Amino acid sequence: MRPAKLAPLFATVRALKGVGPKVEGLLNKLVAPRHEGAHARVVDLVWHLPVGVIDRAIAPRIAEAKIGELATLEVTVTEHRPGGGSKWRSRGPYRVLVEDESGGALQLVYFNADPTYIKRLLPLGSRRLISGKLESYDGWLQMPHPDHVMAIDSEDGAALPLHEPVYPLTAGLTNTTLRKAIANAIEQVPDLPEWIDTGFLAQTAWPRFGEAVARLHAPETEADLLPSALPRARLAYDELLANQLALAVIRARLKRRAGRRLAAQGKLRKAILAALPFSLTGAQKRALAEIDADLASPHRMLRLLQGDVGSGKTVVALLAMAAAVEAGLQGALMAPTEILARQHLQTISGFASSGFDAAAGLRIALLTGRERGRERAEIMEALKAGRIDILIGTHALFQEQIAFHDLGLVVIDEQHRFGVHQRLALQAKGAGTGAELLVMTATPIPRTLLLTSYGDMDVSRLDEKPPGRKPIATRTLPLERLAEVVSGIARAIAGGAQVYWVCPLVAESEVLDIAAAEARYAELRARFGESVGLVHGRLAGKDKDRVMAAFASGALSILVSTTVIEVGVDVPKASIMIIEHAERFGLAQLHQLRGRVGRGAQESSCILLYRQPLSETARERLNVMRRTEDGFVIAEEDLRLRGGGELLGTRQSGLPMFRVATLPEHQALLEAARDQARLTLGRDPELKGQGSEALRLLLYLFERDDAIKLMRAG
Ligand code: ADP
Ligand code: MG
C-alpha cells in the first residue's frame, strides 16, 4: 500500500485548482503514463520538466536594453497619446511614453485598448515596472502590449515572475495554464524525510527534496536546465537510487538462496554438439564457459546473455540446460510470447532429439496459456514427477501452482519485450524457485544502461555472428514511393522470395495498430491474392500459429504484421523486410525487426518506408540503420539520439524510463546510487528499520514499489 502521505501526488490532475475537464484532457495527452487508459496524475506534472526559461531580469537602463529581446525596466510615465480619437477602437494605437532615470525613452503601444483602463494602469507621472518584448519602429523604441505592468513598491510588485519556466506543450495548452497547474502540483508535494545520507548531502550541496522540486520548476538561467544543475542532479540521484534499490532488492533475494554446484560430465552436451549441423562460434564457446563456471560454483548464477538477433543464444541456452539436466535437475525456458515459445520448442527439439535416442535424451514439453484441461494436467503431473527435463513456455511457467520436481536452471528469453517492472517480477519468480538464472536479451544494451536495467548481473556477450551471414542491403524511401516498392516485391516473390511487411506503430493503442495492418493487408491481398497473410497480437493463438506456419512453410509469400513478429521469429528463407512508417520506430526496434531477415543463404534487403517530413532525429536514426548492422553500435547511437524528447523510442526499447535522470550525463550519480543501495540493503535487507522508512517512501514516490511487494512476499 502506498503511504497516505503520497496520496495527493498520485491523485489525478483534476484534483488541482484550475484543472477542469478540458485542461485535464490536454494534460492526459501531455503527461499521462504511457499505458492505455492512464490518467495524468499530479506527480506526472511534478516530473514535467521545463525546457527553457524566459528571463525578465531588470535591465538597468532603457539605453542598454536590446531590440528583439525581452526587457524588464523601471520607468516613469511621461505622456499619453490616445490614438487619434477619444473613442475606444479609434484609428491609431494608444501610446504611452515612458522614460527611465538615464533619460532613455520608450513608447508602450496598445491596439484596441480601453483608454480608461490604460489611464488607470499607467497614470501620468507614476513609476512602473514594465516587462515585454522591445521593438524598433519609426526610429522609436517601443514595447507593444507589455506582458506585465506593475506599480513599483506596491504589494504585487513581488508577483512579477522575473523568470518563467517554458514547458513542452501540446496543441491547445498554453504555457501559462500549464505553469499554473504545475505550480499547484508542486504545492501537493508533502514534506518528506531525507533519504540521502547527511554526509553525502553536505558534500554535494544539494537541496532537500521539496526545495529541489520547487527549484526544478523555477529556473533562472539556461544553466539551471542542465543535468548538472543542483536540483536536477539531486532529483536524478533520487530517481536512480529508487531504481538501484529496486534492483538490489531483487539481487538480494536471488542471492539469499545459495546456488548448487551443478557438476555435469558433459556427455549430454557432447551428444548435442555432435548432432549440431554447425560448430559453435568463439563467442558462444566463451559464453558457455562463463555459464559453466557459474553453474559449478556454489553461488547462484545471475547472468545476462546479450546477443544480437541471430547470434545464436538459443543453442547456448540449450547447452546450459543440458548441464542442469545431466546433474539430475530440470530446466525451464521462458519466452515473452507464445509464438516464440513454440519456436524455441521446435528449434530445441530439433537440436536435441536428432543426435541421440530421445528416450535416453531430453524430454521436452511446452506450457503456455493454451494448454488446458487434460493436457495441462498431464504436463503438470509429469513435471512434478520429474518426467520432463526441459519445460518451455510463456510466463505461464511461473503462474499458478506449477511445481517442478527439481528446477535447476531458469532461462528467461526476454528478447527485449519486458519492461523493467515486469522483469523484476519475472526474475523474482524465477528466483523463488531457487534455480540458477540466465537472462537472454537481444537488446544490445549500452554499457551505461546495463546497470539501470539489470543492476549487478554478470554479463556474457555474443558479439560474433555465426559464419556465412550476408549483409542486409538497407534502403530508406518516402511513403510516396510505395507503388514502386510493391512492384519490386511482385518481381521478388515471382522469383520465390518471402517478405515481411511490418505495419506502423501509429498510436499507443494496439487496436489502431491492428486497423492499420488490416488495411495494408487488404490492399496487398487485392494485388497478390492468397499468398498474403496477416498476423497481429489480437489473433487467437491457434490462428497465429496457422499463419506463421504457412509463412514458414512457404505457402505464404508475404506476411503482414504489427510488431508481434519483432520477437525472435525464425524463417530463414524470408529475405525481404519492409517497415512502414519506419520513422516511428526506435532504433532498437528497427534493428530487431531487420534482424528477421538475413538468416539464410540468399541476399537480403530491408526497406524503411518513411513519411515526410522527417524530424532531424528520425532522419539520423534511419541513417544509422543504413550505415551499420552492428547492434552494439546501434545501441550507442540510440542512446545518443534518444535524448529526453524521444519518448516513443524509449518506451519501445524496454529500457527504464527516467523522468529526471538522463544518461550518460548522470552516470556518476548512477554509480553512487548503486553504492548507496548496496550499502543500505547490506544493513537492512528488508528496508524494515527506522532509518529505512524514507527509502520506502522513495520507492513509492518513483513507482518502484514492485520491489516492496517482493520484500513482503518474503
Ligand atoms: P538468437 O536467439 O540469438 O536470435 P538463434 O539461437 O535463434 O539466435 O540462432 C539463429 C540461427 O543461427 C538459428 O537458425 C541457429 O540454428 C543458427 N546458429 C546458431 N549458432 C550457430 C553457429 N555457431 N553456426 C551457424 N549457425 C548457428
Ligand atoms: Mg532466439
Side-chain angles (χ1 to χ4, degrees), residues 278-281 284 307-315 344 347 351 413 415 440 442 462 466-467 469 568 570 572 596 599:
F278 48 75
S279 52
L280 297 183
T281 63
Q284 282 170 321
D308 237 332
V309 172
S311 58
K313 294 184 293 297
T314 316
V315 190
H344 277 317
T347 318
F351 288 153
D413 180 5
Q415 294 277 11
M440 306 199 291
L462 295 184
R469 295 276 153 82
D570 196 9
R596 299 294 121 221
R599 300 180 149 208

Side-chain angles (χ1 to χ4, degrees), residues 569-587:
V569 172
D570 196 9
V571 180
K573 280 182 302 175
S575 64
I576 299 177
M577 168 65 64
I578 313 281
I579 303 176
E580 235 182 275
H581 275 293
E583 81 280 359
R584 292 178 184 267
F585 291 91
L587 262 180

Side-chain angles (χ1 to χ4, degrees), residues 9 46-47 185-196 201 206-218 231 234-235 238 701:
L9 284 177
V46 170
W47 300 132
I186 294 172
E187 281 179 21
Q188 303 301 313
V189 175
D191 195 24
L192 296 172
E194 186 56 75
W195 42 77
I196 299 180
L201 204 59
W206 284 341
R208 298 193 39 128
F209 179 80
E211 191 194 332
V213 168
R215 280 171 56 187
L216 178 73
H217 290 283
R234 144 106 218 198
L235 297 169
D238 292 342
L701 185 60

Side-chain angles (χ1 to χ4, degrees), residues 360-407:
L362 292 169
R363 293 160 300 179
I364 304 170
L366 180 75
L367 188 71
T368 68
R370 250 209 282 163
E371 281 69 38
R372 299 232 171 84
R374 265 269 295 286
E375 194 185 357
R376 191 178 193 87
E378 274 172 25
I379 294 173
M380 284 172 61
E381 204 187 301
L383 191 68
K384 198 165 174 187
R387 292 193 310 269
I388 290 172
D389 296 319
I390 293 179
L391 185 64
I392 299 175
T394 52
H395 54 274
L397 285 194
F398 294 115
Q399 280 169 353
E400 309 160 35
Q401 289 81 38
I402 290 180
F404 288 81
H405 176 66
D406 196 353
L407 182 58

